[in-house]
Amino acid sequence: AEYRVESPQTPEFTHGHIGHSPQIEIGRGIHVVRLYGELKAVAVPQRLQVSRIVFQYELLGRHPDVPQKALRHRKAFHSASAEGSGPAMALLDMLETFDTDLKLSFERLSGAGPPLEDVAIEVNVAGGELDFPVSLTAAGVPLEGRLGLDRRNGKPRAAFDLGASRPFRVDELGAYLAPQANLQGGFQELRLDLESSGESLRELLVSLRAALVARGAALTYGFGSPVPVGVERLEMTLEERGPLTVRARAELLGEALSLDLSAGTVEALLGDEIWPLHVEAAGAGADIEFRGEGRGSLARGTFAADAQLRVEGERLSRLEPWLGALPVADGSYALRARVERTPELFRTTLEEVR
């Protein structure tokens, strides 16, 4: 059987109500239920709730010719099955029982936070795979992203990407997030990519691959005499079972600044293993190195570290753009210290100062 519902005319839109022009088709077969349609709105209330998944569960429940296995996925989604299958695999099994193509778009959503404009969301399910693209403009920042869920080598795989579709300014966003900072300026590029596979939450975290890229930022903050900050490029990468690395090239108050960081793997950061920590930075004529070991988790309150800090440079006066006028004679300088951190204390022991 197939059904089609269309609104007889385009409704009038008023603020605080959802104006929609639905076109929905439902096809029912022996093994698969298919639902696809489109919903457009130009004015919505502060809170928007779309119960798509709930509706699909109810749809499956109304048709006895759909295998009972599909109905059991609703319970399996919340707890592991007797065979050891977790919620991720149960969700993929459920996706195999129906196909869906849904679209939702609206021109503006305003409320307590920054306004969302030109929002377009799609939910596409076919062959047991989920594709969830979204595009919107949030506080003047144009964003495009996609969430995907499928199987790779017999395991659930999730992929997510989000980025700015074009260069943008942060003035409006800064006014919402930190109005006291008076953040101005913009970015040429900003993008985040995530991918992982596994059945349990731990497997998904351990296999996580991540990449964050920010490029071409020219920013200022503060009132009176705004402080200039430039970011030529910022990269954060995490390979599967590999170390977390961060690389930055920037400019602060007219002085070039570089930063390179390497830390442990996600598996080591989640557990009680010892993992290496190495940070190198350079700017205003100073070379800074922080090298040591970490253990435990900040989230669980078990983080501990033991590292050596080294700071040295040829001319102390080169630091004045960052630190202001220094009441000491110009010349070379050096500082070496041991930094210890446990859940109970933080201690710095100076070993050399000149």
Side-chain angles (χ1 to χ4, degrees):
E2 292 189 358
Y3 310 90
R4 185 176 182 87
V5 180
E6 296 186 19
S7 59
Q9 61 184 5
T10 302
E12 297 293 332
F13 301 112
T14 58
H15 180 70
H17 297 78
I18 299 178
H20 56 89
S21 177
Q23 294 184 351
I24 300 175
E25 297 183 11
I26 302 174
R28 180 167 63 88
I30 296 178
H31 298 294
V32 176
V33 174
R34 179 174 179 82
L35 169 65
Y36 57 97
E38 183 172 354
L39 175 64
K40 296 182 178 180
V42 298
V44 298
Q46 181 173 335
R47 294 185 179 181
L48 177 65
Q49 297 179 350
V50 182
S51 301
R52 296 299 190 190
I53 298 299
V54 174
F55 177 74
Q56 290 160 353
Y57 282 150
E58 294 175 350
L59 183 64
L60 291 171
R62 290 192 185 118
H63 298 291
D65 50 84
V66 176
Q68 291 299 309
K69 178 184 177 182
L71 304 180
R72 291 197 299 269
H73 292 325
R74 182 176 185 178
K75 182 177 181 181
F77 181 75
H78 299 285
S79 61
S81 68
E83 291 80 15
S85 176
M89 189 66 74
L91 175 59
L92 285 173
D93 290 341
M94 183 192 71
L95 293 179
E96 292 182 349
T97 64
F98 64 91
D99 289 351
T100 298
D101 296 301
L102 296 176
K103 297 180 181 179
L104 170 66
S105 63
F106 54 90
E107 292 181 358
R108 183 179 177 85
L109 172 63
S110 59
L116 305 180
E117 299 176 316
D118 301 324
V119 178
I121 301 173
E122 297 184 30
V123 180
N124 304 313
V125 178
E129 298 183 356
L130 169 68
D131 182 36
F132 186 86
V134 59
S135 63
L136 57 92
T137 299
V141 180
L143 297 172
E144 290 183 350
R146 183 179 298 270
L147 172 65
L149 184 63
D150 54 28
R151 300 176 196 262
R152 287 292 186 274
N153 300 321
K155 289 187 176 183
R157 183 190 74 102
F160 173 76
D161 64 79
L162 180 67
S165 57
R166 62 180 184 275
F168 63 93
R169 293 189 62 84
V170 298
D171 307 24
E172 187 178 349
L173 180 63
Y176 279 97
L177 298 180
Q180 70 282 359
N182 190 30
L183 185 63
Q184 305 284 325
F187 283 81
Q188 291 293 317
E189 180 184 3
L190 183 64
R191 184 165 193 85
L192 173 67
D193 294 281
L194 303 172
E195 183 179 338
S196 65
S197 61
E199 178 58 31
S200 66
L201 176 60
R202 183 178 180 83
E203 287 180 349
L204 291 170
L205 290 174
V206 169
S207 66
L208 178 65
R209 293 181 292 276
L212 171 67
V213 175
R215 183 181 61 83
L219 309 172
T220 63
Y221 68 90
F223 295 89
S225 298
V227 178
V229 178
V231 178
E232 177 184 343
R233 192 169 186 87
L234 169 65
E235 298 177 345
M236 185 201 74
T237 58
L238 178 66
E239 297 296 334
E240 182 176 356
R241 300 183 184 276
L244 170 68
T245 62
V246 178
R247 179 181 176 87
R249 299 296 179 265
E251 186 177 282
L252 176 61
L253 292 171
E255 293 285 346
L257 174 66
S258 66
L259 173 71
D260 293 274
L261 177 148
S262 176
T265 65
V266 172
E267 189 170 16
L269 294 172
L270 290 174
D272 290 324
E273 301 178 28
I274 296 176
W275 42 269
L277 175 62
H278 185 205
V279 181
E280 288 186 350
D287 292 320
I288 304 170
E289 183 180 28
F290 187 84
R291 182 188 295 270
E293 295 177 336
R295 169 182 278 178
S297 167
L298 282 172
R300 298 197 305 268
T302 61
F303 174 72
D306 189 348
Q308 293 289 325
L309 172 65
R310 177 184 62 84
V311 181
E312 58 185 26
E314 293 299 324
R315 292 183 57 192
L316 195 59
S317 59
R318 287 285 308 277
L319 295 174
E320 290 185 353
W322 293 355
L323 304 180
L326 300 172
V328 293
D330 194 11
S332 62
Y333 59 93
L335 180 149
R336 287 177 174 80
R338 181 182 180 185
V339 180
E340 299 172 274
R341 201 275 189 190
T342 70
E344 294 79 26
L345 62 86
F346 180 86
R347 179 169 57 199
T348 300
T349 305
L350 293 178
E351 298 178 345
E352 179 187 1
V353 178
R354 63 172 176 85

